[in-house]
Amino acid sequence: MTTENNRYLVFKFGGASINSIERIKNVGHIIAHWQHQPLMVIVSAMGKTTNALEKVAEAFFAGRQEEALQLFEAVKQDHINIAEGLLEKDFEKCLLHLSDIITEAEWMLHDKPVRDFDYYYDQIVCLGEMLSTIIVAAWLNETGIATQWLDVRDIIRTDDNFRDANVDWKVTQQAMGNLQLATDSTVFLTQGFVGATDENESTTLGREGSDYTAAIFANMLDAESMTIWKDVESVMNADPRQFADAIPIAELNYEEVIEMAYYGAQVIHPKTIKPLYQKSIPLYVKCFLDPKLPGTVIHNNVVKNLPPIIVRKENQVLIHFHSKDYSFVGERPVGQLYHLFEELSIRPSLTQNGAISFLCCVDDREDKIQKLAFAASDFFDIQIEKGLTLLTVRHYKEALVSSLTEGKEIVLKQQEGDETVQVLLR
């Protein structure tokens, strides 16, 4: 999937960029500007569709079939209404394609759950990306931008670790190479966040995983660059919704972005950078509301004089693991814990090892915390504290940390040299 003279550009558009008819048209304008160079476009679910489909999955799994069907009907109608308001010539054709996906869900929702929740979550939630991309592709074709819609489930092969699936790179690369792409199209459009097992069961790559999907395509296409289109002017040094004085950052390197993602910055999915780094593919973060703004470029060069970068994560849980018999918490017990973390797909945001105790801070995922506590209770006494906030500051200054923690009780504080400080607040 390369061209003789031009390398692909990979564009990723998130849910905010297509959450209305006007914004879908705006995406069309952006793509039209670049349509003479081969484009692989990755699109997320519209607006809050993923959240709505999560409620469908929860109601279905809890045995509330009628509620699940009603909730799904609302999602279905929203998409049909947008397609009808957007399309003139191609609405009926688009509706037929949407109906194929809708029927897939409705058959399942009339059944009864017999497998784990995570399985049903992936089968239901992935439909948001399917529906949105069908509509966007139809709009592009209607406006004269020749676009080929692809089902990403035919391309990205994963294991069956539902809700956080791992990509089989070898099989995925083969599928990419086997694609028969239409010769009259330079725009190919597919879904983010989604893959499939070798049994053709839908999987998802982790919440907000569309960035990662785009990076997979960029790597396998040897793309010229990848661009994430967002509703902010660039990567900022803090979440502007939390910090009114957040400032834009024009340039970052891969390592800094990985650190930001590791500590919980909601800028780029944590797995995104590695596939780009492997091929030295630059990543641009640009504003779909004003494409003329320079945005941020992320590459492999050294970047100096960065401002303090602030990440604040709410709804954190501190878990105390305490030795039952006052024996030292050495390598073996800690190793057992890390094995459980891996098994349950838990990534601690912060850890601290004492003589007879081990502390870790994790996101508040009730189901996973319960499983972890139950499995670890054989060799630890466990206490759980919820409702905490984790503050991370890179390139910090003490005066800034003091101002950010003023009036809060500090539960735990860790510093990594002169580079990073983490403070858990009550």
Side-chain angles (χ1 to χ4, degrees):
M1 283 175 58
T2 55
T3 59
E4 269 185 33
N5 301 316
N6 295 319
R7 293 163 67 195
Y8 277 83
L9 302 179
V10 176
F11 285 179
K12 180 261 175 172
F13 291 95
S17 66
I18 54 162
N19 66 4
S20 67
I21 288 172
E22 292 71 26
R23 287 199 169 176
I24 292 171
K25 289 180 177 179
N26 180 58
V27 165
H29 295 320
I30 292 171
I31 291 172
H33 181 76
W34 297 95
Q35 67 175 311
H36 300 299
Q37 183 158 355
L39 288 180
M40 176 61 71
V41 180
I42 314 298
V43 176
S44 299
M46 289 181 186
K48 301 296 183 185
T49 301
T50 299
N51 293 340
L53 288 170
E54 285 177 338
K55 288 184 169 59
V56 174
E58 287 161 7
F60 170 73
F61 193 73
R64 304 192 303 271
Q65 263 185 334
E66 285 305 313
E67 181 187 342
L69 285 162
Q70 286 172 5
L71 290 168
F72 184 71
E73 180 65 27
V75 173
K76 164 184 161 182
Q77 207 53 55
D78 282 346
H79 285 79
I80 291 172
N81 291 343
I82 285 176
E84 190 171 16
L86 187 67
L87 301 165
E88 294 178 13
K89 298 177 295 182
D90 293 340
F91 172 66
E92 293 300 330
K93 183 179 174 184
C94 178
L95 185 59
L96 281 173
H97 198 175
L98 290 172
S99 297
D100 290 342
I101 303 299
I102 288 163
T103 303
E104 184 182 325
E106 289 176 338
W107 273 103
M108 175 179 291
L109 295 176
H110 278 97
D111 217 334
K112 288 187 177 179
V114 292
R115 296 180 63 170
D116 290 345
F117 173 73
D118 287 354
Y119 167 79
Y120 292 106
Y121 177 98
D122 280 6
Q123 311 317 301
I124 294 166
V125 169
C126 78
L127 300 172
E129 273 70 12
M130 297 296 151
L131 299 174
S132 68
T133 52
I134 288 168
I135 294 169
V136 175
W139 169 248
L140 293 174
N141 280 308
E142 183 166 296
T143 55
I145 301 169
T147 301
Q148 185 174 343
W149 183 88
L150 303 171
D151 189 333
V152 77
R153 296 174 298 184
D154 295 332
I155 305 166
I156 293 185
R157 184 66 63 240
T158 73
D159 62 12
D160 61 358
N161 186 34
F162 297 103
R163 291 186 74 180
D164 193 17
N166 301 293
V167 174
D168 184 327
W169 282 81
K170 184 177 179 182
V171 176
T172 300
Q173 182 73 74
Q174 288 169 349
M176 195 88 76
N178 291 336
L179 280 176
Q180 297 298 311
L181 298 179
T183 54
D184 59 349
S185 296
T186 55
V187 177
F188 306 102
L189 189 140
T190 193
Q191 306 78 36
F193 174 60
V194 177
T197 68
D198 53 12
E199 300 289 326
N200 291 321
E201 297 167 323
S202 299
T203 57
T204 62
L205 307 180
R207 201 69 156 82
E208 308 296 338
S210 296
D211 293 352
Y212 181 39
T213 303
I216 293 167
F217 275 94
N219 178 289
M220 294 192 174
L221 293 168
D222 291 315
E224 181 180 316
S225 67
M226 171 177 152
T227 303
I228 297 174
W229 295 90
K230 299 178 75 71
D231 57 357
V232 292
E233 60 180 284
S234 66
V235 176
M236 314 288 277
N237 76 316
D239 187 335
R241 294 167 297 186
Q242 297 177 336
F243 299 92
D245 56 352
I247 58 172
I249 303 174
E251 193 177 8
L252 289 164
N253 62 28
Y254 296 135
E255 184 175 343
E256 187 65 41
V257 173
I258 288 171
E259 291 286 347
M260 291 170 69
Y262 175 80
Y263 289 116
Q266 298 296 306
V267 179
I268 294 164
H269 188 279
K271 294 180 180 176
T272 303
I273 296 300
K274 185 178 177 182
L276 302 177
Y277 166 77
Q278 288 171 334
K279 299 280 183 79
S280 294
I281 298 167
L283 170 62
Y284 296 91
V285 178
K286 290 182 69 69
C287 180
F288 64 76
L289 299 171
D290 188 354
K292 294 186 182 71
L293 291 173
T296 301
V297 60
I298 299 162
H299 48 55
N300 204 27
N301 302 331
V302 174
V303 180
K304 296 181 179 179
N305 302 318
L306 286 169
I309 293 171
I310 306 165
V311 181
R312 187 166 70 193
K313 292 182 75 176
E314 311 282 354
N315 300 316
Q316 296 295 289
V317 177
L318 182 63
I319 308 177
H320 301 246
F321 299 93
H322 197 279
S323 170
K324 283 190 169 186
D325 59 2
Y326 282 78
S327 58
F328 288 136
V329 177
E331 286 183 12
R332 190 175 174 206
V334 172
Q336 289 172 303
L337 279 178
Y338 274 97
H339 178 72
L340 288 174
F341 293 155
E342 186 175 349
E343 205 171 74
L344 296 169
S345 297
I346 293 173
R347 191 182 65 74
S349 308
L350 177 151
T351 62
Q352 183 170 293
N353 212 151
I356 57 171
S357 66
F358 181 87
L359 306 179
C360 75
C361 177
V362 299
D363 294 337
D364 192 352
R365 283 281 304 274
E366 182 68 30
D367 54 334
K368 292 193 175 191
I369 290 168
Q370 283 185 354
K371 287 176 183 175
L372 174 64
F374 179 77
S377 63
D378 288 342
F379 42 100
F380 286 110
D381 288 323
I382 296 162
Q383 289 181 308
I384 295 171
E385 183 177 359
K386 296 192 172 192
L388 303 175
T389 297
L390 180 62
L391 177 73
T392 304
V393 186
R394 283 183 58 73
H395 319 297
Y396 71 93
K397 292 180 173 53
E398 280 296 344
L400 173 63
V401 176
S402 296
S403 70
L404 292 172
T405 58
E406 188 176 357
K408 302 281 187 182
E409 182 183 348
I410 295 177
V411 180
L412 201 61
K413 183 175 180 180
Q414 280 189 359
Q415 290 176 232
E416 186 185 314
D418 299 328
E419 198 69 21
T420 306
V421 64
Q422 289 189 284
V423 189
L424 190 60
L425 303 170
R426 184 180 288 121

